[in-house]
Amino acid sequence: MLFSHASIILALASLIDAAPYTQEEKRTLGWAPDHSSSYYDWASREGHNWRGRGSAATHRDPVAGQCDLASVSLPQAPKPLPPPSEGMKLYHVAVGRGTQNYTCDLSNSTAVPVAAGAVASLFNVTCLSANSPTLLNKLPNIALELPVPKSNDATSPIYQDLSGHHYFTDSTTAYFNLDTTLTSYGAGGFKKINSTAAPEDACVGQNGKGYGAVPWLKLSAKTTDDCVFQEIFRINTAGGVAPDTCRGQKDEFQIEYSAEYWFYEPGSA
C-alpha cells in the first residue's frame, strides 16, 4: 500500500508499536517504559553485524518501480553535504521516528551527555520524494509531534508501509534493517563520513521546545559485500539534541527525533 495524502497523518499516529518486536525487544530498544537494558544488547543477542544481506537481484523496493526517481534531487542543508558518490542512484526513502539515546556520568557534577546511538522505525515514503517533495519535507516535523502509541496494532495503515528499523550494534555502527516480515529491501551496518548542521529554522523538539535538531549526515556502508544500498543520507531532521549538561538527567535518557533517510545503491541513475 502506498502512502496517500489523505492517510499520511492518520497513519503516522501508529508509528512505533506497529514494529514487529516482542515486548522484551522493545524494552531493550528503548520503546518500553523500562530503559534499563543496554542499547546494544538486543542486536548482539540476535547476531546482527555490520555486514549487509541479500543482493540487488533479490532485494527490491516495489514502490520505487511505481514512480520515477531518476529526476529526484537530494535536499541540501545551507552548508551542503557531499553528494551521492558517482554511480549511485536513489533506491529508497523513509521517514524515521524514534529517539536519540544518551548516557550521563552522574558521579561527575560537570558531566555532559554522551551519545549512545539511536533507535527508530522507518516508514516508506519513496514515491513522495518524486511526487510530493514539499509534503515529504514537512513529514519529520509532523511525525515528531505525534504521540508514540501505547498498544501494538498490526492492522494500522502505517504497518503496511513499514520499511524496517534503525539501531546501533556498537558505538560506531548504525545498522539499518530493511528486511522485515513485510519487506525485503536489504540490511547493513554504516559509518558516518560527513555531517552538517541542520538549518536554523529546523524543528528543535516536540511542541517547539527542545535543544535543537540533530545534524544531517552522510553514511557509508562498512562493507561493499552483499549490501544492496551503499550510502545513506539523514536529512530534514527534527529534534534529537541533548541538553548541554547532565544536570537533572538520568544515567540513560532519550530525546525524541524524526528525520528522512535517503538510501542509495550502485547503478546508473
Side-chain angles (χ1 to χ4, degrees):
M1 182 187 74
L2 303 184
F3 261 110
S4 68
H5 292 187
S7 68
I8 287 174
I9 304 303
L10 291 176
L12 281 171
S14 300
L15 279 169
I16 304 306
D17 270 8
Y21 288 141
T22 66
Q23 288 301 313
E24 179 183 0
E25 290 167 348
K26 288 179 184 178
R27 185 177 300 110
T28 304
L29 288 171
W31 295 119
D34 175 11
H35 302 298
S36 59
S37 299
S38 165
Y39 298 122
Y40 309 126
D41 283 351
W42 179 78
S44 298
R45 184 170 66 249
E46 294 298 317
H48 288 286
N49 57 51
W50 48 262
R51 299 183 68 82
R53 301 198 305 279
S55 67
T58 58
H59 290 72
R60 299 304 309 164
D61 180 350
V63 174
Q66 300 176 32
C67 47
D68 183 8
L69 302 180
S71 60
V72 176
S73 297
L74 178 72
Q76 286 288 2
K79 182 179 179 181
L81 288 167
S85 299
E86 184 176 357
M88 291 288 172
K89 66 177 182 179
L90 185 59
Y91 171 67
H92 188 81
V93 181
V95 167
R97 175 67 170 88
T99 61
Q100 294 288 317
N101 302 324
Y102 298 91
T103 62
C104 274
D105 179 3
L106 300 185
S107 66
N108 182 354
S109 61
T110 62
V112 298
V114 176
V119 175
S121 291
L122 307 173
F123 299 91
N124 193 342
V125 292
T126 303
C127 279
L128 281 182
S129 67
N131 300 334
S132 301
T134 301
L135 177 61
L136 174 57
N137 179 263
K138 299 179 184 298
L139 281 187
N141 290 4
I142 295 171
L144 185 63
E145 296 298 336
L146 294 174
V148 176
K150 295 182 179 180
S151 62
N152 193 333
D153 182 9
T155 65
S156 168
I158 196 66
Y159 188 83
Q160 303 303 317
D161 291 297
L162 181 69
S163 294
H165 305 282
H166 165 44
Y167 45 88
F168 276 65
T169 55
D170 59 46
S171 61
T172 62
T173 304
Y175 200 87
F176 292 83
N177 184 358
L178 273 61
D179 289 339
T180 72
T181 56
L182 299 174
T183 65
S184 185
Y185 300 157
F190 286 73
K191 61 184 177 182
K192 180 178 71 174
I193 58 174
N194 290 100
S195 68
T196 189
E200 291 185 0
D201 61 352
C203 178
V204 298
Q206 291 179 316
N207 301 312
K209 299 178 180 179
Y211 304 99
V214 288
W216 295 23
L217 302 177
K218 180 179 181 180
L219 307 170
S220 179
K222 283 196 166 184
T223 175
T224 58
D225 298 336
D226 300 326
C227 189
V228 182
F229 42 91
Q230 291 291 302
E231 293 182 351
I232 302 173
F233 290 79
R234 183 181 76 184
I235 65 170
N236 288 333
T237 54
V241 172
D244 292 334
T245 73
C246 285
R247 185 176 303 170
Q249 300 297 331
K250 298 180 179 180
D251 58 347
E252 294 183 354
F253 66 96
Q254 298 78 35
I255 302 292
E256 304 279 342
Y257 92 105
S258 185
E260 294 172 30
Y261 289 90
W262 290 50
F263 299 78
Y264 285 81
E265 66 172 336
S268 58

